[in-house]
Amino acid sequence: LLFWPSGLAVLYPYPEAGHSAARIVFSAAVGLGVSAVAVAQGRRRPWLLTGWLWFAGALVPMIGLVQVGRQSWADRYTYLPHVGLILALVWSVAQAQERWGGRPQRGVRKNGKPGRTDLAATGLGLKSMPVALAGALVLGLAALARQQTAVWQTNESLFRRAISATENNTLAHGNLGTYYGQQGQWGPAEFHLQEVLRIRPQDGGARYALGNVCYRQGRRDDALEQYRLAAQDPKQWEAMNDLAWLLATVADGRAHAEEALQWAARALAAAPATKRAEIWDTLSVARANAGDFAGAIQAAETALDLETGAGMAAWRARVDQRMESYRQGKPWRP
């Protein structure tokens, strides 16, 4: 990664089954071996120990020993621990150059002429070679970095790259599924969301997104099925609300009124306080379907009282229209 950045991704998923014992043992052996060498060389080459301790210490927060978020490691932060490796490398190269080319002898003049230092004593070729190699390395890394930035141009390119560089990346598949769904590309959207569910069948967020894809294609029965599965996750209040809405607005809504009321009540309990206006609106439709028009009006009024944000005039007008149906003793139908 330090000398040839390739195979990079925005997120590396943590293995569902964890890391194998062989991999853990091998990694521990390498780490202990390098540590032993650095300690043994501590007196003769102190920069090796300093660089290794810097690298190992700065690497701890990003290699998954302490799990933070969904990533198994975060190579985007390696610039900090790599300072230690570069320190050890630069001092080692300087020592090798001095050993092979001789220590520079300042003040030695060639042929006694003033103003010219005897470069033969320093080994001109050996002195210039590291500079040339460092320059070539910087230019190469600059070209690779420029190529890598192209991956970050769009959501599609970013997450497609993550899928190609990793395995079982549910975050990348989920984001691509949502992205394609927003673009109306139903086939790719469904494919990527199904990939998430293949890896994590209980992923409520992917179920809900797949339900939205089905609904936008007019596949109400499929959407109902996915919303029901997603709503098993106690955090998926949006799936609960949309499930209640679909049940309350079907042609035979009265037959499903009781189930719609139950899901709307669960959504209210699960949703944050700032998101409950829409659920009260759903609850008003479900109550009207159950024949409770007074309760439907009360729920619609609560929805209007809760939603005071700017830009909601059209939504408030639709709620007012539904209340007019309730006042006439009629359930509302889309």
Side-chain angles (χ1 to χ4, degrees), residues 33-53 87-88 91-92 95:
V34 175
S35 298
V37 171
V39 171
Q41 295 290 320
R43 288 186 176 275
R44 295 180 58 194
R45 299 177 180 88
W47 56 86
L48 292 179
L49 181 59
T50 301
W52 173 248
L53 291 177
L87 183 151
W91 281 68
S92 296
Q95 185 192 51

Side-chain angles (χ1 to χ4, degrees), residues 247-248 252-262 285-291:
L247 291 170
D252 56 343
R254 191 175 184 86
H256 300 283
E258 189 61 33
E259 185 182 3
L261 287 169
Q262 292 174 1
V285 177
R287 285 178 177 178
N289 273 339

Side-chain angles (χ1 to χ4, degrees), residues 18-19 44 94 175 215 217 229 255 259:
H19 294 294
R44 295 180 58 194
N175 277 279
Y215 178 72
Q217 294 179 79
L229 292 170
E259 185 182 3

Side-chain angles (χ1 to χ4, degrees), residues 65-272:
L65 290 177
V66 178
Q67 190 65 23
V68 178
R70 300 174 63 178
Q71 70 276 2
S72 57
W73 65 83
D75 59 17
R76 58 189 176 276
Y77 297 125
T78 51
Y79 61 86
L80 186 59
H82 280 170
V83 171
L85 294 184
I86 293 172
L87 183 151
L89 176 63
V90 168
W91 281 68
S92 296
V93 169
Q95 185 192 51
Q97 178 186 352
E98 180 179 314
R99 175 179 297 178
W100 297 335
R103 182 183 296 275
Q105 299 180 23
R106 298 183 181 278
V108 177
R109 306 297 181 183
K110 184 176 181 180
N111 299 326
K113 296 181 180 180
R116 297 183 62 185
T117 302
D118 188 356
L119 295 178
T122 67
L124 177 59
L126 288 173
K127 182 178 181 180
S128 303
M129 188 180 300
V131 176
L133 289 175
L137 180 62
V138 169
L139 290 175
L141 289 175
L144 287 172
R146 180 177 176 82
Q147 181 182 15
Q148 186 66 26
T149 56
V151 173
W152 291 77
Q153 289 183 354
T154 65
N155 287 341
E156 182 179 17
S157 62
L158 179 65
F159 292 114
R160 286 182 68 88
R161 173 60 180 171
I163 289 172
S164 68
T166 61
E167 294 181 358
N168 296 331
N169 198 324
T170 55
L171 180 80
H173 280 297
N175 277 279
L176 275 178
T178 301
Y179 168 79
Y180 286 128
Q182 292 171 345
Q183 303 301 312
Q185 301 181 44
W186 309 124
E190 195 161 345
F191 168 78
H192 286 288
L193 292 171
Q194 290 286 11
E195 280 295 292
V196 176
L197 295 171
R198 176 185 63 80
I199 302 164
R200 286 186 174 179
Q202 305 305 318
D203 193 311
R207 287 282 178 197
Y208 175 60
L210 184 57
N212 289 338
V213 169
C214 294
Y215 178 72
R216 289 167 186 164
Q217 294 179 79
R219 296 157 51 193
R220 277 179 85 99
D221 290 342
D222 291 337
L224 278 169
E225 178 185 1
Q226 296 302 327
Y227 287 155
R228 279 197 175 93
L229 292 170
Q232 303 308 313
D233 183 344
K235 297 180 181 179
Q236 289 297 322
W237 62 269
E238 291 176 298
M240 300 173 195
N241 181 58
D242 287 358
L243 175 56
W245 179 268
L246 283 186
L247 291 170
T249 56
V250 294
D252 56 343
R254 191 175 184 86
H256 300 283
E258 189 61 33
E259 185 182 3
L261 287 169
Q262 292 174 1
W263 283 116
R266 288 183 60 179
L268 272 178

